[in-house]
């Protein structure tokens, strides 16, 4: 008999819960996006700008994942979104059972788009299905231009890439074309958005893409 490791068992349980979440949200017509990045790439700022862009057309909810504090959830609520905070107390990624518990605290009735803002980490989150429909990975020009090469699993699992902080390009050493080339070598059909959450550059294209996502 082949050995089944504890890790495999945990992931199998996670997959079952994730599938339940996916079915629940699709039945309600809610599209779900797992937003992943390293620390400081600008996920919360992107979500604030997204809510500002779409709030008159789409009701947006956000499950905020952080090791500690509720600061990001408070920012989302101030921007006009519906938010629930998950604090992992040290865990480096969210898991499906955490999302299930967070959903039980949300009013899902008005929602059409749900973001799960994962823990800032380009390694662990790629292995954990949270019941999402789409995965978006985010990087920024302040982090260096080697992220796709260093963390290929994250980019392989994503359907879209957001490259943030374009406004810093004159001040940092960052090869934008190299990042796009490396990312598409890993995932040829990856949709790429080049944005600055500070100036608004590229955000209309991002918001138009979100509006085009079909509901179930």
């Amino acid at each position: 008999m082949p050995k089944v490791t504890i890790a495999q068992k945990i992931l199998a349980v996670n997959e079952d819960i994730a599938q339940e979440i996916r079915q629940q949200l699709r039945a309600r017509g809610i599209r779900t996006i797992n937003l992943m990045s390293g620390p400081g790439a600008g996920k919360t700022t992107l979500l604030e700008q997204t809510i500002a862009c779409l709030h008159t057309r789409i009701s947006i909810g956000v499950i905020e994942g952080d090791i500690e504090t509720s600061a990001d959830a408070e920012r989302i609520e101030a921007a006009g979104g519906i938010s629930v905070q998950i604090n992992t107390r040290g865990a480096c990624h969210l898991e499906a059972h955490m999302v299930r518990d967070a959903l039980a605290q949300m009013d899902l009735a008005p929602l059409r788009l749900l973001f799960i803002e994962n823990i800032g980490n380009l390694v662990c989150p790629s292995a954990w299905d949270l019941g999402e429909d789409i995965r978006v990975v985010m990087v920024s020009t302040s982090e260096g231009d080697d992220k796709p090469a260093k963390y290929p699993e994250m980019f392989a699992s994503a359907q879209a890439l957001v490259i943030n902080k374009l406004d810093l390009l004159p001040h940092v050493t960052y090869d934008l074309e190299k990042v796009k080339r490396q990312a598409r070598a890993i995932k040829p059909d990856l949709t790429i958005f080049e944005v600055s959450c500070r100036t608004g550059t590229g955000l209309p294209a991002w918001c138009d893409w979100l509006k085009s996502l079909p509901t179930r």
Side-chain angles (χ1 to χ4, degrees):
M1 290 287 291
K3 292 184 178 179
V4 178
T5 67
I6 292 175
Q8 287 173 327
K9 290 180 180 179
I10 291 172
L11 284 171
V13 171
N14 185 85
E15 290 291 332
D16 290 342
I17 298 171
Q19 187 58 28
E20 291 173 8
I21 292 169
R22 188 173 293 109
Q23 291 172 356
Q24 173 194 2
L25 295 174
R26 286 181 176 178
R28 289 178 171 269
I30 300 171
R31 294 290 282 182
T32 306
I33 296 176
N34 185 354
L35 180 59
M36 302 176 288
S37 80
K43 296 190 299 298
T44 307
T45 305
L46 176 66
L47 293 178
E48 289 174 318
Q49 297 290 352
T50 301
I51 292 166
C53 176
L54 298 178
H55 76 279
T56 60
R57 298 186 54 138
I58 303 173
S59 182
I60 297 175
V62 180
I63 294 175
E64 280 288 348
D66 280 299
I67 292 175
E68 296 287 352
T69 86
S70 60
D72 288 348
E74 291 167 9
R75 287 173 59 184
I76 293 300
E77 291 181 357
I82 299 169
S83 183
V84 171
Q85 180 73 52
I86 298 174
N87 287 136
T88 64
R89 309 298 183 190
C92 63
H93 60 271
L94 295 180
E95 298 179 17
H97 70 90
M98 301 175 186
V99 173
R100 179 186 59 191
D101 293 346
L103 288 172
Q105 303 175 49
M106 298 186 81
D107 179 9
L108 299 177
L111 296 186
R112 287 298 171 265
L113 185 60
L114 175 69
F115 286 93
I116 303 169
E117 184 179 341
N118 220 313
I119 306 293
N121 182 345
L122 284 172
V123 183
C124 306
S126 64
W128 296 83
D129 185 355
L130 302 181
E132 69 272 10
D133 297 303
I134 296 168
R135 288 186 170 191
V136 175
V137 60
M138 187 174 189
V139 297
S140 72
T141 61
S142 60
E143 299 175 89
D145 55 17
D146 56 359
K147 293 298 178 285
K150 284 188 172 182
Y151 306 101
E153 288 300 320
M154 177 63 74
F155 291 82
S157 72
Q159 285 74 50
L161 165 64
V162 177
I163 304 173
N164 188 28
K165 305 186 183 180
L166 290 189
D167 53 294
L168 295 182
L169 280 175
H171 312 291
V172 296
T173 302
Y174 191 89
D175 188 335
L176 186 61
E177 294 305 315
K178 170 187 170 184
V179 172
K180 293 191 290 182
R181 185 170 61 251
Q182 288 182 346
R184 285 205 167 114
I186 296 165
K187 189 73 173 284
D189 60 348
L190 192 67
T191 300
I192 299 178
F193 300 95
E194 302 170 31
V195 310
S196 167
C197 290
R198 188 179 71 84
T199 67
T201 299
L203 290 176
W206 161 253
C207 291
D208 286 344
W209 180 72
L210 293 174
K211 287 187 289 186
S212 74
L213 297 176
T215 57
R216 302 279 174 174

